[in-house]
Amino acid sequence: MSKPVHIIGGGLAGSEAAWQLASRGVAVAVHEMRPERMTDAHQGGRLAELVCSNSFRSDDHETSAIGLLHEEMRRLGSLVMRAADAHRLPAGGALAVDREGFAAAVTGALERHPLVEIVRGEVDGVPPADWDNVIIATGPLTSAPLAEAIAQLTGDNALAFFDAIAPIVHRDSIDFEVIWFQSRYDKAGPAGSGADYINCPLTREQYEAFVDALISGEKVSFREWEASTPYFDGCLPIEIMAERGRETLRHGPMKPVGLTNPRAPETKPHAIVQLRQDNRLGTLFNMVGFQTKLKHAEQVRIFRTIPGLERAEFARLGGLHRNTFLNSPKHLDNLLRLKADPRLRFAGQITGCEGYVESAAVGLFAGRCAAAERLGEEISPPPETTALGALLSHIVGGHIETIDAGPRSFQPMNINFGLFPLLARTPTRDEAGNRLRGSAKTLAKKQALCRRALADLSAWMSGAHFGAAAE
Ligand SMILES: Cc1cc2nc3c(=O)[nH]c(=O)nc-3n(C[C@H](O)[C@H](O)[C@H](O)COP(=O)(O)OP(=O)(O)OC[C@H]3O[C@@H](n4cnc5c(N)ncnc54)[C@H](O)[C@@H]3O)c2cc1C
């Protein structure tokens, strides 16, 4: 038998990757440090343990990006989705699972598979040289010795130990009658045009009310074991800035200098919120310097008081967490291999996706890539129009790196429709020929994106570079 592919970490991503490999007839060794060595969040020794909520979120594959990802994974033979479906609990349109039954099903399926060996123990450094095909799927709580080894291998602050997430807004929900495009002092920078930022102007009254709302807004507290992480280097949450002084934000991310509102050139805004293009497709804009620990509902309420964002739809809300993740767009190729050492492939949350399902999905693709490599086959990523392809594209290239001070610009993201390329034709009429408006139009657009995704997934699966399973 040929040498096994080694997977480090038997969480959501590692378990799915192992299943994909074994299903293709490739031997695999899964190295899991629990229960010998625990993380701060896991409770037991089973593989694929859900560390917090038991929800896989919406299961609607006709109108929801995460539901679509579920469906794509089912079609790709996902073990995680099979176990979730077998252990689902009543939860309306969401897919909630019995966490014990789910983890037991994943663990059992892998333990029983003749091509899978589960090795208990921590991998505490760069994998040995004779491991020629490795998937690192050690997640947001990667153990310290391995994290240090990866950091040394990649250099250049490639590995972050916490995320500092600023909200991201769908471009088509911004009021273009209020905002204007301009870079501070019209500076073009290396890749810009001088009009790269969306600017939202605030009057003194609006700014004062905004600061009050930030200070009084409900916040999420750090978990006990997160509190000692050095979060605040260069990325203070905005509410902490507001607490430090009422003018602090006006001298920080909301400073109104170097910008002129073309609709009122004589009136100097008291403060300005800037948004910057976040993805290559130009569908998403992030709120510059707005990392926050405010509760999600509070963020939506407070940020919608910003002129121009009254109807903002958020692709991602802000947060700060302990999280180990790579600057993947810079360090991974499109088959998730580390450019500095291509025998090492990364999967799961450590690549910069967010969430159980997303982590498993990246594990699925990593497993298929590693199998194709072992079997001497070609594989290419799924089209960006699929949920899996859109997610992978965010990880390895869809995000636009920026030059602003503060936290690193690549931050983890859940799957969302803002990551998908625009439709060639947005539906404007329903089947009866009536003009679509408002929420009906939004719904029709989501349905069209889902239909396109599943059609393109089928085409990819029947193509030559898919790495098909021999089940
Ligand atoms: C506290 C917390 C709460 C979260 N809550 C949610 C939530 O409610 N919903 C959601 O969708 N997502 C949540 N996430 C985000 C994330 O999706 C999950 O953490 C998900 O489990 C990530 O999958 P993964 O496979 O990348 O990592 P994990 O599932 O964490 O798997 C990584 C595995 O690697 C093992 N490991 C680590 N280092 C080593 C080593 N050196 N050698 C061997 N084994 C090692 C770990 O023990 C673990 O089993 C949460 C994350 C955290 C940290």
Side-chain angles (χ1 to χ4, degrees):
M1 192 157 47
S2 63
K3 290 206 285 188
V5 171
H6 291 271
I7 298 178
I8 310 176
L12 275 298
S15 300
E16 184 63 58
W19 182 254
Q20 295 294 325
L21 277 148
S23 301
R24 300 245 35 229
V26 176
V28 47
V30 180
H31 302 264
E32 171 52 57
M33 68 179 185
R34 291 177 292 117
E36 249 173 47
R37 196 181 178 301
M38 298 297 287
T39 73
D40 286 316
H42 290 83
Q43 304 291 318
R46 285 198 178 121
L47 305 184
E49 180 180 319
L50 304 178
V51 286
C52 189
S53 133
N54 66 334
S55 175
F56 280 24
R57 316 197 313 275
S58 171
D59 197 30
D60 177 354
H61 71 269
E62 292 179 337
T63 61
S64 137
I66 185 69
L68 175 64
L69 187 59
H70 292 173
E71 180 59 20
E72 291 181 5
M73 290 173 69
R74 287 185 182 109
R75 294 186 186 192
L76 290 164
S78 159
L79 171 63
V80 164
M81 289 311 300
R82 197 178 84 185
D85 287 335
H87 293 276
R88 71 186 302 159
L89 299 172
L95 174 54
V97 306
D98 169 66
R99 65 177 74 239
E100 299 296 333
F102 167 76
V106 173
T107 308
L110 291 173
E111 278 173 348
R112 283 190 301 273
H113 201 295
L115 288 173
V116 179
E117 183 194 2
I118 298 169
V119 185
R120 298 287 176 169
E122 180 184 6
V123 175
D124 61 1
V126 176
D130 64 333
W131 294 11
D132 63 341
N133 189 335
V134 181
I135 297 176
I136 300 179
T138 43
L141 306 175
T142 296
S143 74
L146 180 61
E148 276 157 30
I150 297 168
Q152 277 190 9
L153 202 62
T154 48
D156 184 28
N157 294 329
L159 197 68
F161 293 95
F162 61 94
D163 54 36
I165 297 178
I168 290 187
V169 179
H170 288 278
R171 184 186 198 275
D172 59 8
S173 68
I174 297 171
D175 186 348
F176 282 80
E177 299 297 315
V178 173
I179 61 91
W180 75 99
F181 279 92
Q182 187 185 7
S183 306
R184 231 177 264 286
Y185 302 109
D186 302 311
K187 276 191 189 151
S193 66
D196 303 315
Y197 290 76
I198 284 177
N199 297 286
C200 307
L202 282 85
T203 62
R204 178 185 291 276
E205 295 68 37
Q206 286 166 333
Y207 175 77
E208 294 295 337
F210 185 70
V211 169
D212 287 337
L214 291 180
I215 293 172
S216 62
E218 269 194 88
K219 285 111 195 158
V220 183
S221 47
F222 286 116
R223 292 165 204 265
E224 203 183 308
W225 47 268
E226 285 183 317
S228 59
T229 311
Y231 293 99
F232 297 129
D233 300 352
C235 58
L236 274 184
I238 45 166
E239 61 276 11
I240 303 275
M241 285 191 238
E243 279 167 11
R244 288 192 173 178
R246 299 193 70 82
E247 289 296 291
T248 308
L249 283 169
R250 262 177 30 88
H251 292 282
M254 294 177 76
K255 62 176 175 277
V257 301
L259 297 162
T260 305
N261 184 349
R263 290 192 190 83
E266 306 300 324
T267 315
K268 200 94 197 119
H270 189 68
I272 286 177
V273 173
Q274 288 201 304
L275 291 92
R276 185 189 49 226
Q277 185 173 333
D278 195 78
N279 63 343
R280 192 170 29 77
L281 298 169
T283 50
L284 299 174
F285 278 73
N286 70 61
M287 299 176 71
V288 179
F290 266 50
Q291 54 277 356
T292 173
K293 286 285 282 181
L294 284 166
K295 287 194 168 165
H296 280 181
E298 291 286 75
Q299 293 185 39
V300 174
R301 179 179 69 79
I302 296 169
F303 297 152
R304 282 189 182 157
T305 66
I306 296 169
L309 302 187
E310 293 87 349
R311 280 182 291 281
E313 292 297 332
F314 294 90
R316 175 179 88 185
L317 284 158
L320 271 94
H321 312 96
R322 165 81 201 285
N323 193 1
T324 316
F325 66 101
L326 268 178
N327 190 2
S328 297
K330 193 166 167 204
H331 291 277
L332 300 186
D333 69 12
N334 71 346
L335 300 181
L336 302 169
R337 286 172 301 205
L338 190 67
K339 290 175 189 165
D341 188 353
R343 81 195 161 101
L344 306 180
R345 180 172 268 117
F346 282 78
Q349 185 138 327
I350 199 169
T351 62
C353 64
E354 170 76 32
Y356 302 142
V357 182
E358 288 87 341
S359 297
V362 178
L364 186 153
F365 183 63
R368 282 185 174 264
C369 288
E373 206 166 285
R374 203 32 123 228
L375 299 169
E377 296 172 353
E378 299 251 355
I379 186 165
S380 55
E384 220 179 325
T385 48
T386 63
L388 181 55
L391 185 64
L392 291 164
S393 172
H394 164 67
I395 291 167
V396 299
H399 171 77
I400 293 183
E401 188 73 18
T402 61
I403 49 168
D404 297 302
R408 120 126 54 98
S409 88
F410 176 70
Q411 295 288 337
M413 182 110 102
N414 287 119
I415 186 69
N416 68 80
F417 283 124
L419 296 177
F420 290 62
L422 295 174
L423 291 161
R425 242 187 87 251
T426 308
T428 52
R429 294 187 183 274
D430 65 15
E431 280 168 13
N434 302 315
R435 184 172 285 283
L436 290 164
R437 290 180 208 286
S439 56
K441 195 170 168 188
T442 309
L443 188 68
K445 188 175 149 192
K446 290 177 178 173
Q447 288 168 334
L449 285 166
C450 289
R451 278 195 302 271
R452 180 181 70 176
L454 293 178
D456 288 357
L457 184 81
S458 297
W460 178 65
M461 288 175 69
S462 55
H465 293 166
F466 162 57
E471 286 170 53

Coordinates of all heavy atoms in Angstrom, one line a residue, residues 8-14 31-34 39 41-42 51-53 57 121-123 137-143 146 223 225 348-350 354-356 359, ligand 1:
I8 N -3.5 16.5 10.0 CA -3.2 16.9 11.4 C -4.5 17.7 11.9 O -4.8 18.7 11.3 CB -2.0 17.8 11.5 CG1 -0.8 17.1 10.9 CG2 -1.7 18.1 13.0 CD1 0.5 17.9 10.8
G9 N -5.2 17.1 12.9 CA -6.4 17.7 13.4 C -7.6 17.0 12.9 O -7.9 16.9 11.7
G10 N -8.4 16.3 13.8 CA -9.6 15.6 13.4 C -10.8 16.3 13.8 O -11.7 15.8 14.5
G11 N -10.9 17.6 13.4 CA -12.1 18.4 13.7 C -13.0 18.3 12.5 O -13.1 17.3 11.8
L12 N -13.8 19.4 12.2 CA -14.7 19.4 11.1 C -14.0 19.2 9.8 O -14.4 18.4 8.9 CB -15.5 20.7 11.1 CG -16.8 20.8 12.0 CD1 -17.8 19.8 11.6 CD2 -16.5 20.7 13.4
A13 N -12.9 20.0 9.6 CA -12.2 19.9 8.3 C -11.4 18.6 8.1 O -11.5 18.0 7.1 CB -11.3 21.1 8.2
G14 N -10.7 18.3 9.2 CA -9.8 17.1 9.1 C -10.6 15.8 8.8 O -10.3 14.9 8.1
H31 N -4.2 12.6 12.7 CA -3.5 12.8 14.0 C -4.3 13.8 14.8 O -4.4 15.0 14.4 CB -2.1 13.4 13.7 CG -1.2 12.5 12.9 ND1 -0.3 11.6 13.4 CD2 -1.2 12.4 11.5 CE1 0.3 11.0 12.4 NE2 -0.2 11.4 11.2
E32 N -4.9 13.3 15.9 CA -5.7 14.2 16.7 C -5.1 14.2 18.1 O -5.0 13.1 18.7 CB -7.2 13.7 16.7 CG -8.1 14.3 17.7 CD -8.1 15.9 17.6 OE1 -8.4 16.5 16.6 OE2 -7.8 16.5 18.7
M33 N -4.9 15.4 18.7 CA -4.3 15.5 20.0 C -5.2 15.2 21.1 O -4.8 14.8 22.2 CB -3.6 16.8 20.2 CG -4.5 18.0 20.3 SD -3.5 19.5 20.5 CE -4.9 20.7 20.8
R34 N -6.5 15.4 20.9 CA -7.5 15.1 22.0 C -7.7 13.6 22.1 O -7.6 12.9 21.1 CB -8.8 15.8 21.8 CG -8.8 17.3 21.9 CD -10.1 17.9 21.5 NE -10.5 17.7 20.1 CZ -11.5 17.1 19.7 NH1 -12.3 16.5 20.5 NH2 -11.8 16.9 18.4
T39 N -8.0 21.4 23.8 CA -8.0 22.8 23.5 C -8.8 23.5 24.6 O -9.4 22.8 25.5 CB -8.7 23.1 22.2 OG1 -10.1 23.0 22.3 CG2 -8.2 22.2 21.1
A41 N -11.6 24.9 24.2 CA -13.0 24.9 23.9 C -13.6 23.5 23.8 O -14.8 23.3 24.1 CB -13.3 25.7 22.6
H42 N -12.8 22.5 23.4 CA -13.3 21.2 23.2 C -13.5 20.5 24.6 O -12.8 20.8 25.5 CB -12.4 20.3 22.4 CG -12.3 20.7 20.9 ND1 -11.6 21.8 20.5 CD2 -13.0 20.3 19.8 CE1 -11.7 21.9 19.1 NE2 -12.6 21.0 18.7
V51 N -17.9 22.9 19.0 CA -17.5 23.5 20.3 C -18.5 24.5 20.9 O -18.3 24.9 22.0 CB -16.1 24.2 20.1 CG1 -15.0 23.2 20.0 CG2 -16.1 25.2 18.9
C52 N -19.5 24.9 20.1 CA -20.4 25.9 20.7 C -21.8 25.5 20.3 O -22.4 24.6 20.7 CB -19.9 27.2 20.3 SG -20.8 28.6 21.1
S53 N -22.4 26.3 19.4 CA -23.8 26.1 19.0 C -23.9 24.7 18.3 O -22.9 24.2 17.8 CB -24.2 27.2 18.0 OG -24.9 26.7 16.9
R57 N -26.9 26.3 10.7 CA -27.6 27.5 10.1 C -28.7 27.0 9.0 O -29.0 25.9 9.0 CB -26.6 28.5 9.6 CG -25.5 28.7 10.6 CD -24.7 29.9 10.5 NE -24.1 30.4 9.3 CZ -23.0 29.9 8.7 NH1 -22.3 29.0 9.3 NH2 -22.5 30.4 7.6
G121 N -2.5 12.0 19.5 CA -1.3 12.7 19.9 C -1.1 14.0 19.2 O -1.5 14.1 18.0
E122 N -0.4 14.9 19.9 CA -0.1 16.2 19.3 C 1.0 16.1 18.3 O 2.0 15.5 18.5 CB 0.2 17.2 20.4 CG 0.5 18.6 20.0 CD 1.0 19.5 21.1 OE1 1.2 19.0 22.3 OE2 1.1 20.7 20.9
V123 N 0.9 16.8 17.2 CA 2.0 17.1 16.3 C 2.6 18.4 16.7 O 1.9 19.4 16.6 CB 1.5 17.0 14.8 CG1 2.7 17.4 13.9 CG2 0.9 15.7 14.4
A137 N -5.1 20.8 9.5 CA -6.5 21.2 9.8 C -6.7 21.4 11.3 O -7.6 20.8 11.8 CB -7.5 20.2 9.2
T138 N -5.9 22.1 11.9 CA -5.8 22.2 13.3 C -6.7 23.3 13.9 O -6.8 23.5 15.1 CB -4.4 22.3 13.8 OG1 -3.7 23.3 13.0 CG2 -3.7 21.0 13.8
G139 N -7.4 24.1 13.0 CA -8.4 24.9 13.5 C -8.0 26.2 14.2 O -6.8 26.5 14.3
P140 N -9.0 26.9 14.7 CA -8.8 28.2 15.4 C -8.0 28.1 16.7 O -7.4 29.0 17.1 CB -10.2 28.7 15.7 CG -11.1 27.5 15.7 CD -10.5 26.6 14.7
L141 N -7.9 26.9 17.2 CA -7.2 26.7 18.5 C -6.0 25.7 18.3 O -5.7 24.9 19.2 CB -8.2 26.2 19.6 CG -9.4 27.0 19.7 CD1 -10.4 26.4 20.7 CD2 -9.1 28.4 20.2
T142 N -5.4 25.9 17.2 CA -4.1 25.1 16.9 C -3.2 25.2 18.1 O -3.0 26.2 18.7 CB -3.4 25.7 15.7 OG1 -4.3 25.6 14.5 CG2 -2.1 25.1 15.3
S143 N -2.6 24.0 18.5 CA -1.8 24.0 19.7 C -0.5 24.9 19.4 O -0.1 25.1 18.3 CB -1.3 22.6 20.0 OG -0.4 22.1 19.1
L146 N 2.8 23.8 17.3 CA 2.6 23.7 15.9 C 2.4 25.1 15.3 O 2.9 25.4 14.2 CB 1.4 22.8 15.6 CG 1.1 22.6 14.1 CD1 2.3 21.9 13.4 CD2 -0.2 21.7 13.9
R223 N -14.3 35.3 26.3 CA -14.3 34.1 27.2 C -13.0 34.2 28.1 O -12.0 34.8 27.7 CB -14.1 32.8 26.3 CG -15.3 32.6 25.4 CD -15.0 31.6 24.3 NE -15.9 31.8 23.2 CZ -17.0 31.1 23.0 NH1 -17.4 30.2 23.8 NH2 -17.8 31.4 21.9
W225 N -10.6 32.2 28.7 CA -9.3 31.9 28.2 C -8.9 32.8 27.0 O -7.8 32.7 26.5 CB -9.3 30.4 27.8 CG -10.5 30.0 26.9 CD1 -11.6 29.4 27.4 CD2 -10.6 30.1 25.5 NE1 -12.5 29.2 26.4 CE2 -11.9 29.5 25.2 CE3 -9.8 30.5 24.5 CZ2 -12.4 29.5 23.9 CZ3 -10.3 30.4 23.2 CH2 -11.6 29.9 22.9
G348 N -9.9 24.0 6.6 CA -10.7 24.4 7.7 C -10.4 25.9 8.1 O -9.9 26.7 7.3
Q349 N -10.8 26.2 9.3 CA -10.8 27.6 9.8 C -9.4 28.2 9.7 O -9.3 29.4 9.6 CB -11.4 27.7 11.2 CG -11.6 29.1 11.6 CD -12.9 29.4 12.3 OE1 -13.9 28.8 12.0 NE2 -12.9 30.3 13.2
I350 N -8.4 27.4 9.8 CA -7.0 28.0 9.8 C -6.7 28.7 8.4 O -5.8 29.5 8.3 CB -6.0 26.9 10.1 CG1 -4.7 27.6 10.5 CG2 -5.8 25.9 9.0 CD1 -3.7 26.6 11.2
E354 N -14.9 30.7 8.0 CA -15.5 30.8 9.4 C -16.7 29.9 9.4 O -17.5 29.9 8.5 CB -15.9 32.3 9.6 CG -16.7 32.6 10.9 CD -15.9 32.6 12.1 OE1 -14.7 32.9 12.1 OE2 -16.4 32.2 13.2
G355 N -16.8 29.1 10.5 CA -18.0 28.3 10.7 C -17.7 26.8 10.5 O -16.8 26.4 9.8
Y356 N -18.6 26.0 11.1 CA -18.5 24.6 11.1 C -18.6 24.1 9.6 O -17.7 23.3 9.2 CB -19.6 23.9 11.8 CG -19.8 24.2 13.3 CD1 -21.1 24.3 13.8 CD2 -18.7 24.3 14.1 CE1 -21.3 24.6 15.2 CE2 -18.9 24.6 15.5 CZ -20.2 24.7 16.0 OH -20.3 24.9 17.3
S359 N -15.8 25.2 7.3 CA -14.5 24.5 7.6 C -14.6 23.1 7.0 O -13.6 22.7 6.4 CB -14.3 24.4 9.1 OG -14.2 25.7 9.7
Ligands
LIG1 C1 -14.9 28.9 21.0 C2 -15.4 28.8 19.6 C3 -16.8 28.8 19.3 C4 -17.2 28.6 18.0 N1 -18.5 28.5 17.8 C5 -19.0 28.3 16.5 C6 -20.4 28.1 16.3 O1 -21.2 28.2 17.2 N2 -20.8 27.9 15.0 C7 -19.9 27.8 14.0 O2 -20.3 27.5 12.9 N3 -18.6 27.9 14.2 C8 -18.1 28.2 15.4 N4 -16.7 28.4 15.7 C9 -15.8 28.5 14.5 C10 -15.3 27.2 13.8 O3 -16.1 27.0 12.7 C11 -15.2 26.0 14.5 O4 -14.2 26.2 15.4 C12 -14.8 24.7 13.7 O5 -14.8 23.6 14.5 C13 -13.6 24.8 12.9 O6 -13.3 23.6 12.2 P1 -11.8 23.1 12.0 O7 -11.9 21.7 11.5 O8 -11.1 24.1 11.2 O9 -11.2 23.1 13.5 P2 -11.6 22.2 14.7 O10 -13.0 21.6 14.6 O11 -11.3 23.0 15.9 O12 -10.6 21.0 14.6 C14 -9.2 21.1 14.8 C15 -8.7 19.9 15.5 O13 -7.3 19.9 15.6 C16 -6.9 19.4 16.8 N5 -5.5 20.0 17.0 C17 -5.1 21.2 17.2 N6 -3.7 21.3 17.2 C18 -3.3 20.1 17.0 C19 -2.0 19.5 17.0 N7 -0.9 20.2 17.1 N8 -1.8 18.2 16.7 C20 -3.0 17.4 16.6 N9 -4.2 17.9 16.7 C21 -4.4 19.2 16.9 C22 -7.9 20.0 17.8 O14 -7.9 19.2 19.0 C23 -9.2 19.8 17.0 O15 -9.8 18.6 17.2 C24 -16.3 28.5 17.0 C25 -14.9 28.6 17.2 C26 -14.5 28.7 18.6 C27 -13.0 28.7 18.8

